[in-house]
Amino acid sequence: MIDLHSHTNESDGTFTPLELVELAMERGVEALAISDHDTFAGYDQALPEAKSRGLDLVCGIELSTRAPGAGAKGRAVHLLGYFLRQPPPADFRAWLAELIEGRRDRNRRLIASLREKGVEIELAEVERLGRTLTGRPHFARILMDKGYAANYEEAFRRYLGETAPTFVERYAPDVPVAIRRVLDAGGLPVLAHPIRLGMRDLNAEETFIREMRDAGLRGIEVFHSDHRPPDMERYSGIARKYNLLVTGGSDFHGDIKPQILLGTGFHGNLNIPISVLNDMRASA
Ligand code: AMP
Ligand code: FE
Ligand code: FE
Ligand code: ZN
């Protein structure tokens, strides 16, 4: 069993890098990618422990990007990057620092937007929960702790999600820009959980994926906790048709998404074959 999509508490997961390695060993995961949002800090910390325990640890990253123009116009797109040169080039790390600065700016505006609606929370208390970066899941925790939301979902529905009245955008590069950045750093750019594009029109979805392939995309995440069997079938067909690598992972975040288990995903919907990783390695 392998799992190529997971988060530590260096981004918005709840497990420390060492705890995540421990969990992977316990659950019989043979290869694990740490794919935190915008940072390699979790991977860097986990690597020595993984080596000494015999866990095959893969370096990954997840970037929040935006679809340019046309069919998918402005939709939020998550892009995974795998097998970047080690250590990742300085210009790539500098670009990540810019993205994290974009989060800080969004977080300040989000606090102001919440204040306007009478939600009294301080940036400092939210930032205390984050390590390398502070994201909306950290806001959700504070909103719950202070009684503004009964649970995580309600925090997003009422305050943090895209349709909430207090929502604020954050800077996100266009997908092709992020694809180019990952390629230039020697990595494999992969479209994360394509179901979350939310494209009902399957022809438009396929067109978007083809355009991203033309922009340098190398793979798509076929196996994911949010994908039902027909979705996995559809995405694996698209991967074959456009000569894209197949990848997969649970998108484990720890206690904030307790239904998702490392390695096996949502209600055991994942059993990712090791051949997926071998094929990625062969073409990286
Ligand atoms: P951020 O990167 O700070 O904008 O936060 C994005 C993260 O918040 C995602 O990676 C998810 O973990 C979580 N998230 C975003 N939208 C929702 C939602 N509607 N419901 C639950 N979690 C969400
Ligand atoms: Fe996340
Ligand atoms: Fe994601
Ligand atoms: Zn993720």
Side-chain angles (χ1 to χ4, degrees), residues 12 37 103 106 135-137 152 156 170 253 257:
D12 60 357
H37 303 281
R103 282 178 178 279
R106 184 276 312 265
R136 282 181 287 164
Y152 188 77
F156 275 90
R170 92 175 145 93
H253 278 76
K257 295 178 183 177

Side-chain angles (χ1 to χ4, degrees), residues 153-197:
E153 285 70 34
E154 190 186 335
F156 275 90
R157 196 174 60 248
R158 292 184 61 181
Y159 299 112
L160 307 172
E162 284 186 36
T163 56
T166 43
F167 175 76
V168 298
E169 291 276 351
R170 92 175 145 93
Y171 165 72
D174 280 351
V175 198
V177 171
I179 287 174
R180 179 46 53 197
R181 287 278 185 177
V182 171
L183 289 171
D184 288 349
L188 288 178
V190 170
L191 177 63
H193 42 64
I195 196 73
R196 290 209 203 142
L197 291 168

Side-chain angles (χ1 to χ4, degrees), residues 27 225 232 259-261 263-271:
R27 293 187 51 77
S225 294
M232 299 193 206
Q259 330 83 301
I260 293 172
L261 301 182
T264 55
F266 181 73
H267 292 307
N269 73 332
L270 301 178
N271 185 7

